[in-house]
C-alpha cells in the first residue's frame, strides 16, 4: 500500500510546461529521492503536493484519499509536512516557537481562551512546549531552543525546518533541498539525521536535492525528473549508472573522451598543452586579467561561497563546473558586482573592482551573461542590441552580431520573449560580439536547450576566442564545456575543489563523477550489489517497520535481513544499526 | 531577556505611573484632555501593532475603524441609548467592518492591501462620515454632541478636569487590560499563528495554519481595538465630527505606528502620548522659539504631521525597527553584549 | 437639471485628469517598483507653486488679479511649477529612494505615505488651508471680445465644451502618447524598460540604474504637476486636500492598467471619470464618487489577483 500516490500530474506556467504527467508512488517508511537538473520541475511537484500550487490536471492521493481539492493547511493536518529550499522559517520567532506552531495548529484552540489564559489553553501550551522540546532534543537542537530562527547559521536552520516539520507528527515529510548551502560536514550530519529521524519518528520522506552524495546515501529509491517528466526510477546504484540520468546531468552523450585532441584542434588550438605551466607559457602572459582571492559571498545570512581563488588570463577560456549549489553562479555574481562579496578581493585588468557596482564593472570590459540569460522579454532583438550602448559598445551597427547569428537578423523586430531559448542565448551572446569586452562570463549557457542547439552555441565560443575575448564559462554540459576550455575549476560545496587542464579533466571521469554524483568514497560504500532477496524485502519491510510491529517481529525481520545479506539496501542497514543500538 | 511576567509587570507599572501623572502635576483642563486623548490614540496605534506588527497585514484605514465606532456610539446615545450598550454596538460595528475589509486581504497582500485600505478610508471619510445622505449616522454637518453620560455612576463629560481625569483613568484601565490580553495572545498559540503568517505565509499554510480564519480574526480584532478608542472618543471630546477620522488621520495613525516600532506594544503608548501631547506643546514651543530667536515664530498644528512625515522617512531609512524597537535593541545590547557565538547579530544591524 | 450629455463631457474631462495622475503613478511604479501614494500630493504642491506665483509674486504685472489674466504671467508660473516638479522628483529619488533599493515594496509605499504627509502639511502651512483658490484659466472668458461663451465649442445646441476641457483631454492623450513613445523609441526609454523588467540584468548591461530612477521620478512628478495644473484650469474648486486625495482615483485608474500599461491606464482614467460623474445625475451625493473609485479598485484587484500563494509571497 502506498502512502502517497501521484498520477499524471501536469502543470504549466504561462504556456511553459513545468510538469508533464508525472506519476509517483511513495511507500510507507520509505525515503524516496527525487532528483533532476535545474528546472526539471522538482520543486513544482512539491508545491503541488503540499497544495501551494494547483495543478492543471492529475490526481494526488494520500493514504488512499484524494487530496487535490484540499487547502494547504488541511493537507498539513492530514500529515504532510514540508521544508523549503529557500528556508521559510519564521525568522522573528525562537526555535521553540517555530516548533510549537505546527503542534498547536493541529489542535483547535480559540483566541479567547488564549487571551484570558484559561486553564485549558495553559495546559495545551505546556503540552506543546514539552512535545516541541522532545522533538528538538531528538534532533539535537535543544541548545538552540531560545535563539531566534533568523539568527542561526544555515546548517542549523535547515535542521530546525526538519524539526518543525516533525512537530506536526507528519506521516510524510517533503524535504526540498535540505543540503543546499551546507558544507560537506554538515551534509554528512544531515544524511545521518534523516536516517535517524525516519526510524525514530516513523515517517516517510520525499527528498529533493542536488547534492548527490546525500541523495545516494539517504534514499532507498530514486525518481529522476527532467523537463517535467520522469526519465528514470530505481535504486540509487541503478539510477547512478543509467545513461539517461548521466546524460541529463553531464549533458549530451559523450564523444570519445579518448580523443580530445581532435576536438581541441577544431577550436583553433594547434597543440594540446600538457601541464598548467605549459598553458601559462602558451598564453604568453603571467598577468591575470581577472584575479579572485579569498572570496566569500552569499545572500543575507546564507554564505554560499567561501574562500574562492581563481584567475582568468587574457584570451583564455576557463570552464567552471560542479554540482548545483556548489557556488559557481554566486561566484560569477560576486565577480560582476551583482552581489557584494563579504570577504576577499577581485581585481580586473589590474584594478581592484571588489564591491563596485555592476554598471561600472561592465564599462570596464567585463560582460556577464547571467543564468536565464538576463534579457528583457518585452524588448525586440534590435532594441536589446541597442542597449549594448550602455555596456560600452562604440558601434551603432550590429553587422558583426547578425553575421554570426543570421537568424537574429530575420527576427530583429521580434520581441525577445517570443524567441526560442536558443535564439535568446544568441541575443545574449550577440551583445558580447557588439561590445567586444575583455572578459565574458557566461552562466549556464545551455540551460533548458536542446543538445543540438547547445552544440551550435559551443561552436560560437571559438568566435569569441578568435577576437581575443577571454571567457569564463559556468556550465552543466560538462563535456562540451571542457572541450572548448583551456582550463577548468571544479567547484564543490562553495569553494574550488580542483583546478586543472580541461583536456586532462575531460579524461578523468572519476573526478567529474564525484563532483556531480557524490565523491568516490561514498560511491564505493553504497555500491553493494542488490540481491533478489533484498528486492523482495524492500516494500514489505519498510511498511512493517513503520506501522509499529511488535518488537519481536521487528527483531525477527532484522535478523532475517542480517542472515540473508548484511550489506544490502541502505535502509535495512540503518534499521539494523538502530536495532542493535537499542539492544545493547 | 526579561521574562514574560516581568515584561507585563513592567508595562503595567509604567501605565500605573502614567495614571498617577494627573495627580502629581497640577492638571488643567487642557492637560487632562490631552491625557485622555493619548489613551484613545493608544488604542489606535495598538490596533496597528496587532494587525501589521503581529500579522503583517498593512492597513491604512485604522482611523476609519475608530470612526465607525465613534459615530455608531454617538448616534445611538443621541437616539436615547445608554452609553455602555451603545459603545458595545460601536465596537461590534468596528469588528464587523474589520472582517469585511479582511475579505479582499485573503487574496491580496502588501501594497495592494494598502491601496484597498486607503480606498476604504477615503470612501468612508467622504461617504459615511461626511455625506448628508448618512446624517442619521454621522449627525450631519455639525456631528453628534454628547453630554451627561455616566459609566458606573461616574459623571463623564469632557467639560471639567475632574471628569476628564476620571475618564482618563477608566480608559487607561481598559487600555491596560486590553494590552495584557494582546500580550497574552501574542505569546500563545494564536499569537504564534499570527506571527507565522507575518513571517512566511507559505510556511504557515503548509504547517497547518488556516490563513482565512486567522486573517479575518486579525482584522476583526484589530478593528475592535481601534473601535474601543473610537467609542471613548465622544466622551473625551464631547462631540463627534468627521475631521478626526478622515483619510489623513488614518495615514497618520499608520505612520506613527511605524515610527514608534510597529512590532511593539509599548510603541502604542508612545504613539498615543506623541499624538496627544505634541500638538498642545506646539504653542509652548512657539513661545520658546520666539523668545530665543527674539522674533515672533508661528508654529501651527500642521507642523505636527509635517514633522511626523519627516521623522517617518528618516526612521525608515536609518532605523527600520522604529523608536521603541531601536531603543530596545540598544538597551539590550548594553545589558547583554552581542554574542559573537555562531555569528548571532541583533536584528536591526542585520537588516541594514 | 444637468443634461446627461453635459455630465458625460464632464466625466470625460475628469477622466483625463485621472488618467494623467495615473500615468505618473504607472511610470514610477513600472521603473522603480515604488507605489507612490504621494503622487497626488506632489502634483498638488507643484500646482500650488504655480498658483502662489500668480497670487503672491504676480510676475511681469503689478497685481495678482492681473497676473491671473496675463498669459505671460501664467506661463512663468507654470514654468516655475514644472521646475519645482523636476527638482522634487530628483530630490525624492536621490535623497530617499535610491537608499531603499532592495527593501520591500511595502516599506517603499509606507515611506511615500510619510512624503504625502510632509507635502500636504507643508503646502497647508505655506499656502493656507482656505478652501477657495482662484483658478488659473488658460482661456479666460474675460478676454472674450463677444459674449461669454467664446473659447468653447457647441457639441450640440445645449452641450458646450470649453477649450480648457478640450485641453485636458488632448494633453492627457498626447502625454500618454509621448510617454509611450519615449519609452518605446528613445535610448533612455529602452534602458528604463529594461530596468523595469529586471533591474539586476539591466545593471549587468551597464544601464545606469540611478539615472534611470531619477528620470522616472522626474517624469512621474512632472506628469502629476501637469494633472494638477490642468485640474485647476477647468475651474474646479480646489484646496490642498482635494488635490492630494486625487491619488486614490489615480490609483484606481492605474490598477485598471495593471500598474503597467499606459494605454489601459488612460482608458481606465476615462472610464473612472465617467463612472464617478454620471451617477450624480440621479444621486445627489458628494461622497459617492470615492466609493465608486474604491469599488473599481476592489473589482480590478480581485479579478486580477493571483491565486497562487507562492507568487504572492514572492
Amino acid at each position: 500500500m502506498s502512502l502517497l500516490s501521484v498520477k499524471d500530474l501536469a502543470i504549466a506556467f504561462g504556456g511553459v510546461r513545468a510538469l508533464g504527467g508525472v506519476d509517483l508512488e511513495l511507500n510507507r517508511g520509505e525515503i524516496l529521492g527525487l532528483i533532476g537538473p535545474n528546472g526539471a520541475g522538482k520543486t513544482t511537484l512539491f508545491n503541488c503536493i503540499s497544495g501551494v500550487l494547483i495543478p492543471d490536471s492529475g490526481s494526488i492521493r494520500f493514504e488512499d484519499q484524494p487530496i487535490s481539492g484540499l487547502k494547504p493547511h488541511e493537507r498539513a493536518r492530514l500529515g504532510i509536512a514540508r521544508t523549503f529550499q529557500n528556508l521559510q522559517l519564521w525568522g522573528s520567532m525562537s526555535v521553540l516557537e517555530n516548533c510549537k506552531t505546527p503542534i498547536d495548529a493541529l489542535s483547535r484552540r480559540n483566541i479567547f481562551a488564549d487571551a484570558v489564559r484559561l486553564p485549558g489553553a495553559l495546559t495545551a501550551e505546556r503540552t506543546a512546549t514539552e512535545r516541541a522540546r522532545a522533538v528538538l532534543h531528538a534532533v539535537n537542537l535543544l541548545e538552540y531552543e531560545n535563539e531566534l530562527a533568523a539568527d542561526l547559521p544555515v546548517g542549523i536552520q535547515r535542521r530546525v525546518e526538519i524539526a518543525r516539520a516533525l512537530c506536526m507528527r507528519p506521516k510524510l515529510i517533503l524535504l526540498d533541498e535540505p543540503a543546499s548551502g551546507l558544507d560537506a560536514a554538515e551534509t554528512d550530519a544531515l544524511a545521518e539525521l534523516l536516517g535517524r529521524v525516519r526510524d525514530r519518528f516513523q515517517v516517510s520522506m520525499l527528498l529533493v536535492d542536488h547534492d548527490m552524495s546525500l541523495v545516494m546515501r539517504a534514499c532507498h529509491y530514486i525518481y529522476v525528473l527532467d523537463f517535467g517528466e520522469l526519465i528514470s526510477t530505481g535504486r540509487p546504484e541503478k539510477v547512478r549508472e543509467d545513461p539517461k540520468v548521466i546524460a541529463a546531468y553531464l549533458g549530451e552523450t559523450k564523444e570519445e573522451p579518448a580523443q580530445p585532441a581532435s576536438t581541441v584542434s577544431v577550436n583553433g588550438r594547434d597543440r594540446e598543452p600538457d601541464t598548467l605551466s605549459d598553458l601559462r607559457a602558451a598564453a604568453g602572459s603571467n598577468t591575470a586579467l581577472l584575479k579572485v582571492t579569498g572570496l566569500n559571498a552569499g545572500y543575507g545570512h546564507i554564505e554560499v561561497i567561501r574562500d574562492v581563488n581563481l584567475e582568468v588570463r587574457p584570451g583564455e577560456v576557463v570552464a567552471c563546473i560542479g554540482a548545483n549549489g556548489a557556488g559557481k553562479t554566486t561566484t560569477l555574481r560576486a565577480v560582476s558586482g551583482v552581489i557584494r562579496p563579504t570577504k576577499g578581493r577581485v581585481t580586473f585588468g589590474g584594478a581592484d573592482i571588489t564591491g563596485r557596482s555592476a554598471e561600472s564593472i561592465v564599462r570596464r570590459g567585463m560582460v556577464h551573461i547571467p543564468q536565464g540569460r538576463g534579457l528583457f522579454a518585452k524588448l525586440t532583438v534590435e532594441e536589446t542590441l541597442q542597449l549594448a550602448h550602455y555596456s560600452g559598445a562604440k558601434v551603432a551597427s550590429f553587422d558583426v552580431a547578425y553575421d554570426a547569428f543570421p537568424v537574429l537578423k530575420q527576427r530583429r523586430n521580434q520581441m525577445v520573449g517570443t524567441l526560442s531559448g536558443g535564439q535568446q542565448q544568441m541575443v545574449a551572446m550577440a551583445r558580447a560580439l557588439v561590445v567586444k569586452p575583455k572578459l565574458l562570463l557566461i552562466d549556464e549557457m545551455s540551460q533548458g536547450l536542446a543538445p543540438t542547439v547547445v552544440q551550435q552555441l559551443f561552436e560560437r565560443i571559438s568566435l569569441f576566442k578568435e577576437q581575443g575575448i577571454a571567457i569564463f564559462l559556468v556550465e552543466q554540459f560538462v563535456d562540451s564545456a571542457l572541450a572548448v576550455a583551456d582550463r577548468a575549476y571544479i567547484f564543490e560545496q562553495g569553494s574550488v575543489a580542483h583546478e586543472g587542464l580541461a583536456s586532462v579533466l575531460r579524461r578523468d571521469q572519476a573526478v567529474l563523477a564525484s563532483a556531480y554524483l557524490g565523491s568516490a568514497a561514498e560511491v564505493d560504500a553504497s555500491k553493494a550489489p542488490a540481491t533478489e532477496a533484498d528486492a523482495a524485502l524492500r516494500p514489505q519491510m519498510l511498511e512493517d517497520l513503520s506501522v509499529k510491529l511488535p518488537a519481536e517481529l521487528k527483531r525477527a525481520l532484522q535478523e532475517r535481513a542480517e542472515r540473508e545479506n548484511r550489506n544490502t539496501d541502505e535502509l535495512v542497514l540503518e534499521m539494523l544499526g538502530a536495532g542493535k543500538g537499542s539492544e545493547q | 531577556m526579561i521574562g514574560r511576567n516581568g515584561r507585563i509587570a513592567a508595562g503595567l507599572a509604567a501605565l500605573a505611573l502614567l495614571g498617577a501623572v494627573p495627580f502629581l502635576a497640577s492638571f488643567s483642563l487642557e492637560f487632562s484632555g490631552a491625557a485622555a486623548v493619548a489613551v484613545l490614540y493608544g488604542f489606535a496605534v495598538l490596533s496597528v501593532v496587532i494587525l501589521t506588527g503581529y500579522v503583517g497585514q498593512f492597513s491604512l484605514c485604522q482611523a476609519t475603524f475608530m470612526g465607525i465606532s465613534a459615530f455608531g456610539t454617538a448616534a445611538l446615545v443621541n437616539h436615547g441609548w445608554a452609553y455602555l450598550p451603545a459603545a458595545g454596538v460601536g465596537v461590534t460595528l468596528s469588528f464587523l467592518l474589520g472582517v469585511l475589509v479582511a475579505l479582499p486581504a485573503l487574496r491580496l497582500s502588501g501594497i495592494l492591501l494598502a491601496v484597498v485600505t486607503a480606498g476604504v478610508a477615503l470612501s468612508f471619510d467622504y461617504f459615511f462620515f461626511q455625506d448628508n445622505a448618512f446624517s442619521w449616522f454621522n449627525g450631519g454637518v455639525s456631528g453628534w454632541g454628547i453630554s451627561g453620560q455616566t459609566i458606573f455612576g461616574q459623571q463623564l463629560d469632557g467639560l471639567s478636569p475632574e471628569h476628564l481625569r476620571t475618564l482618563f483613568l477608566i480608559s487607561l484601565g481598559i487600555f491596560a487590560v486590553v494590552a495584557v490580553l494582546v500580550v497574552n495572545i501574542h505569546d500563545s498559540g494564536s499569537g504564534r499563528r499570527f506571527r507565522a503568517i507575518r513571517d512566511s505565509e507559505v510556511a504557515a499554510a503548509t504547517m497547518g495554519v488556516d490563513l482565512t480564519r486567522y486573517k479575518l480574526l486579525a482584522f476583526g480584532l484589530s478593528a475592535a481595538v481601534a473601535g474601543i478608542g473610537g467609542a471613548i472618543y465622544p466622551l473625551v471630546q464631547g462631540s463627534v465630527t468627521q475631521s478626526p477620522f478622515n483619510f489623513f488621520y488614518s495615514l497618520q495613525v499608520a505612520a506613527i505606528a511605524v515610527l514608534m516600532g510597529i512590532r511593539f506594544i509599548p510603541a502604542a503608548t508612545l504613539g498615543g502620548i506623541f499624538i496627544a501631547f505634541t500638538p498642545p506643546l506646539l504653542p509652548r514651543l512657539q513661545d520658546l522659539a520666539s523668545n530665543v530667536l527674539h522674533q515672533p515664530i508661528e508654529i501651527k498644528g500642521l507642523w505636527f504631521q509635517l514633522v511626523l512625515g519627516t521623522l517617518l522617512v528618516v526612521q525608515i531609512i536609518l532605523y527600520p525597527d522604529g523608536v521603541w524597537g531601536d531603543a530596545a535593541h540598544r538597551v539590550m545590547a548594553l545589558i547583554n553584549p552581542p554574542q559573537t557565538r555562531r555569528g548571532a547579530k541583533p536584528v536591526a544591524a542585520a537588516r541594514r | 437639471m444637468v443634461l446627461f450629455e453635459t455630465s458625460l463631457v464632464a466625466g470625460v474631462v475628469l477622466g483625463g485628469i485621472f488618467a494623467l495622475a495615473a500615468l505618473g503613478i504607472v511610470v514610477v511604479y513600472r521603473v522603480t517598483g515604488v507605489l507612490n501614494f504621494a503622487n497626488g500630493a506632489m502634483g498638488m504642491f507643484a500646482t500650488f507653486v504655480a498658483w502662489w506665483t500668480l497670487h503672491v509674486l504676480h510676475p511681469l504685472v503689478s497685481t495678482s488679479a492681473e497676473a491671473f489674466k496675463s498669459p505671460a504671467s501664467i506661463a512663468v508660473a507654470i514654468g516655475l511649477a514644472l521646475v519645482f516638479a523636476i527638482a522634487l522628483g530628483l530630490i525624492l529619488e536621490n535623497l530617499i529612494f535610491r537608499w531603499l533599493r532592495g527593501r520591500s515594496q511595502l516599506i517603499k509605499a509606507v515611506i511615500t505615505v510619510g512624503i504625502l504627509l510632509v507635502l500636504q502639511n507643508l503646502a497647508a502651512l505655506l499656502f493656507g488651508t482656505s478652501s477657495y483658490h482662484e483658478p488659473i484659466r488658460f482661456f479666460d472668458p474675460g478676454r472674450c471680445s463677444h459674449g461669454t461663451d467664446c473659447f468653447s465649442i457647441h457639441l450640440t445646441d445645449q452641450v458646450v465644451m470649453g477649450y480648457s476641457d478640450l485641453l485636458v483631454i488632448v494633453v492627457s492623450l498626447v502625454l500618454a502618447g509621448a510617454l509611450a513613445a519615449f519609452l518605446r523609441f528613445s535610448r533612455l526609454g529602452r534602458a528604463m524598460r529594461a530596468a523595469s523588467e529586471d533591474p539586476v540584468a539591466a545593471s549587468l548591461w551597464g544601464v545606469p540604474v540611478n539615472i534611470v530612477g531619477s528620470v522616472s521620478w522626474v517624469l512621474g512628478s512632472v506628469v502629476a504637476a501637469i494633472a494638477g495644473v490642468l485640474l485647476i484650469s477647468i475651474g474646479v474648486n480646489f484646496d490642498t486636500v482635494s488635490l492630494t486625495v486625487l491619488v486614490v482615483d489615480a490609483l484606481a485608474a492605474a490598477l485598471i492598467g495593471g500598474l503597467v500599461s499606459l494605454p489601459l491606464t488612460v482608458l481606465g482614467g476615462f472610464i473612472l471619470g465617467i463612472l464617478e460623474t454620471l451617477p450624480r445625475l440621479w444621486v445627489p451625493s458628494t461622497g459617492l464618487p470615492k466609493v465608486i473609485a474604491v469599488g473599481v479598485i476592489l473589482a480590478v484587484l480581485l479579478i486580477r489577483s493571483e491565486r497562487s500563494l507562492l507568487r504572492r509571497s514572492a
Side-chain angles (χ1 to χ4, degrees), chain C residues 285-299:
Chain C
S285 159
T286 51
L288 191 60
K290 300 292 172 196
V291 177
I292 290 171
V294 175
V296 169
I297 289 179
L298 269 178

Side-chain angles (χ1 to χ4, degrees), chain A residues 538-571:
Chain A
R538 176 181 160 263
Q540 187 193 349
M541 261 196 76
L542 293 177
E543 268 197 55
D544 291 350
L545 281 173
S546 65
V547 290
K548 294 192 182 180
L549 284 176
E552 307 92 307
L553 191 49
K554 207 184 235 174
R555 212 170 296 128
L557 264 168
Q558 290 162 355
E559 281 164 10
R560 184 183 137 202
E562 198 170 358
R563 197 172 55 238
E564 287 176 0
N565 195 337
R566 271 187 60 88
N567 194 10
T568 61
D569 203 301
E570 255 176 48
L571 156 86

Side-chain angles (χ1 to χ4, degrees), chain C residues 35-92:
Chain C
L35 189 62
N36 185 10
F37 281 91
N39 181 72
M42 290 162 66
M44 175 275 296
F45 210 105
T47 307
F48 268 89
V49 167
W51 177 85
W52 180 83
T53 307
L54 293 177
H55 189 75
V56 177
L57 296 182
H58 43 82
L60 310 176
V61 290
S62 51
T63 67
S64 93
E66 282 175 61
F68 278 95
K69 293 187 182 354
S70 149
S73 305
I74 290 177
V76 171
I78 293 190
L80 279 181
L82 293 182
V83 168
F84 169 82
I86 292 170
L88 182 61
L90 288 175
I91 288 171
L92 289 183

Side-chain angles (χ1 to χ4, degrees), chain B residues 205-262:
Chain B
T206 51
M207 291 292 142
V209 176
D210 185 345
L211 294 184
T212 308
R213 181 185 158 104
Y214 280 89
K215 277 189 182 177
L216 293 181
L217 204 55
F219 264 93
L221 207 64
S222 161
V225 169
I228 296 175
I232 298 171
Y233 186 91
L235 291 183
V236 176
Q237 300 291 15
S239 68
V240 180
T241 57
Q242 161 268 344
S243 62
F245 308 113
N246 71 22
F247 180 59
F248 292 98
Y249 273 83
S250 277
L251 301 188
Q252 175 180 303
V253 166
I256 286 185
V258 174
L259 176 64
M260 292 302 166
I262 203 152

